[in-house]
Amino acid sequence: MSTTLESGSWQYRALNALNPGLDHLSLGLMDLVDEGHPVVAATADLKYSNGLSLFERHHPERFIQFGISEQHMVSAAAGMASAGLKPFVATFASFLGLLCCEQIRMDVAYTGLPVRLIGHHTGISLGFYGTSHHATEDISTMRALAGLTVVSPSDGPQLRAAIRASIDWPEPIYFRIGRGRDETIYSGDEGFEFGRGIEHGRGTDITFISCGSLVHPSLEAARMLGEAGVSAGVIDMPTIKPIDEALIREVSARTGVIVTAEEHNIIGGLGAAVAEVMAENPARARLHRHGIRDEYSLIAPPTHLYRHYELDADGLVAVAQRQLNR
């Protein structure tokens, strides 16, 4: 008996209600299959957590279930890429970006093979699963690997657009995505360009540079600050490597404070990438890196953790006000 959840079944609808962005990964891959690309998808026993059950339902001959063998999956993906296929492999970011670092480094990045690595449930989004499942070091690990592009889409439509854009991107890619509960920001018609940040408003007092799950709270925080008379802007920086250096230089010259916001350790993450650009291109702005401050996060429901670490809109407003009052 098949264990695949039918897209119309109550089980699938219940899972999709908990993770409304669940389908975008599969839909993006199905777009590429429809266009004739040799796409294959694989996961390590998590096809319902990442939504690849939908892709399996439509293209079972292109889907591989590796079970709980993430390192083997990455090495096998490199082999498939060397044979001309376009493999997309997905598992929890804590396993992919950390457990599989050696396989990604030697089998994928060193060889330059076009493997697409999808680390989902990033940051502290797994809550009660605890430290072993929290991924607050994967950006720093992955962006340190030569020849590996690092992308953190902010919602489902942006992920789908990035998947489409990836088909002609020459380097291997690490996609860092959430758990499908991110608020929708984009329609999906905007397209996607690797290495380009997206500006939402031009703040002269303060500008948030955010990625992934922190983009929507940053937009809300900028709106709240604006209502209080603060000129606040937001830059969505979905590509962390290669980062949009030109946009960082530009905003550094016209805003007073830059706050980077990420669901990640501030060491080695988005904030560190922005700091590197600003250090080599001195400008007007003062930088504050905001995220997890060099610690293993607490264990609690995700909403409680976001509030505790000031990673929600109210928290970002508080962070901004403290920086503006310095």
Side-chain angles (χ1 to χ4, degrees), residues 15-133:
L15 186 61
N16 201 266
L18 291 174
N19 302 279
L22 195 66
D23 287 346
H24 287 283
L25 172 57
S26 285
L27 292 173
L29 298 180
M30 288 158 60
D31 290 341
L32 298 182
V33 171
D34 291 343
E35 293 169 9
H37 298 288
V39 166
V40 292
T43 190
D45 202 36
L46 292 171
K47 66 181 180 180
Y48 299 128
S49 295
N50 54 40
L52 283 177
S53 55
L54 178 61
F55 181 86
E56 180 195 27
R57 177 176 178 267
H58 288 270
H59 298 288
E61 76 287 355
R62 292 174 180 253
F63 177 79
I64 304 170
Q65 174 61 270
F66 277 90
I68 305 175
S69 54
E70 295 86 359
Q71 294 167 315
H72 173 53
M73 178 177 70
V74 171
S75 294
M80 288 186 277
S82 71
L85 298 175
K86 297 284 188 180
F88 289 74
V89 298
T91 188
F92 287 148
S94 54
F95 302 158
L96 189 59
L98 302 173
L99 174 67
C100 301
C101 183
E102 170 67 11
Q103 286 71 31
I104 293 173
R105 178 176 181 263
M106 294 308 303
D107 297 343
V108 176
Y110 177 68
T111 59
L113 289 167
V115 175
R116 280 49 177 131
L117 305 151
I118 301 160
H120 54 85
H121 288 72
T122 54
I124 51 180
S125 65
L126 276 169
F128 277 124
Y129 282 76
T131 302
S132 64
H133 285 62

Side-chain angles (χ1 to χ4, degrees), residues 117-245:
L117 305 151
I118 301 160
H120 54 85
H121 288 72
T122 54
I124 51 180
S125 65
L126 276 169
F128 277 124
Y129 282 76
T131 302
S132 64
H133 285 62
H134 293 174
T136 56
E137 310 90 356
D138 58 315
I139 295 177
S140 56
T141 303
M142 293 294 99
R143 79 180 189 95
L145 299 182
L148 182 66
T149 297
V150 179
V151 180
S152 181
S154 59
D155 68 1
Q158 190 179 67
L159 169 63
R160 186 173 179 178
I163 287 173
R164 176 181 289 277
S166 75
I167 201 65
D168 296 318
W169 188 251
E171 295 183 346
I173 303 170
Y174 176 71
F175 285 100
R176 185 180 201 260
I177 66 176
R179 55 177 179 164
R181 301 190 190 186
D182 300 309
E183 296 287 344
T184 300
I185 300 169
Y186 300 102
S187 68
D189 298 327
E190 298 87 355
F192 185 89
E193 182 180 344
F194 289 100
R196 182 178 67 85
I198 304 165
E199 191 164 18
H200 297 267
R202 296 167 66 89
T204 56
D205 294 324
I206 191 166
T207 299
F208 294 101
I209 300 181
S210 309
C211 65
S213 63
L214 268 290
V215 174
H216 187 268
S218 295
L219 291 168
E220 282 296 296
R223 179 189 60 79
M224 294 161 68
L225 289 166
E227 291 175 352
V230 176
S231 176
V234 177
I235 291 174
D236 174 6
M237 195 67 76
T239 309
I240 301 170
K241 179 189 176 188
I243 202 162
D244 192 339
E245 295 190 15

